[in-house]
Amino acid sequence: MFEAGSDMTCHGASHAGGAEWVKIKAWYAERFARLIEQLRDTPDGDGSLLDNTLVFLGSCLADGALHNHDNMPFILAGGSAGGIKNGVCLNFAGLPHNKVLVSIAQFMGANIAQFGTQDSEPGALKQLLA
């Protein structure tokens, strides 16, 4: 991730952790923030493009070195015009992250109750709805 000022690849840094991993994640977060600002500042209908768009930032692992999925951080931004709750930090400890993807799919109009493995709990995260 030379763009982020790291000599490591994103995959390598995810296993190593430390300062290089933080540099890369900060680089992605800065670009995400810029995208959110641009969407917020673009008029669309009665609100902004951000109001009418749902943007997701996440990772497929919580800890690359351990290859675990526990307490994976996700950011959902926008979507308020479609009923997504904004400005909150929610903790879904113990729930499979597939439910976030089900929630996004349902927000977009897909009639699904499950995403991914069959052993995940079906259903969306109702706490995401305003």
Side-chain angles (χ1 to χ4, degrees), residues 29-84:
E30 288 168 5
R31 272 127 195 94
F32 184 77
R34 226 181 294 156
L35 171 65
I36 298 307
E37 289 170 354
Q38 290 172 342
L39 292 170
R40 180 198 64 207
D41 295 342
T42 303
D44 187 52
D46 291 336
S48 72
L49 199 51
L50 182 60
D51 296 329
N52 296 304
T53 304
L54 182 62
V55 186
F56 170 80
L57 177 67
S59 175
C60 56
L61 293 171
D63 185 325
L66 299 176
H67 282 231
N68 77 21
H69 302 98
D70 299 333
N71 298 318
M72 293 172 54
F74 298 114
I75 298 173
L76 294 175
S80 63
I84 297 293

Side-chain angles (χ1 to χ4, degrees), residues 51-125:
D51 296 329
N52 296 304
T53 304
L54 182 62
V55 186
F56 170 80
L57 177 67
S59 175
C60 56
L61 293 171
D63 185 325
L66 299 176
H67 282 231
N68 77 21
H69 302 98
D70 299 333
N71 298 318
M72 293 172 54
F74 298 114
I75 298 173
L76 294 175
S80 63
I84 297 293
K85 189 182 298 184
N86 282 221
V88 295
C89 179
L90 302 170
N91 184 346
F92 296 103
L95 291 176
H97 70 276
N98 301 31
K99 292 176 81 64
V100 173
L101 302 175
V102 169
S103 301
I104 292 169
Q106 288 183 4
F107 170 78
M108 295 172 51
N111 186 20
I112 67 167
Q114 201 166 10
F115 183 92
T117 62
Q118 295 301 318
D119 60 348
S120 68
E121 296 178 32
L125 298 168

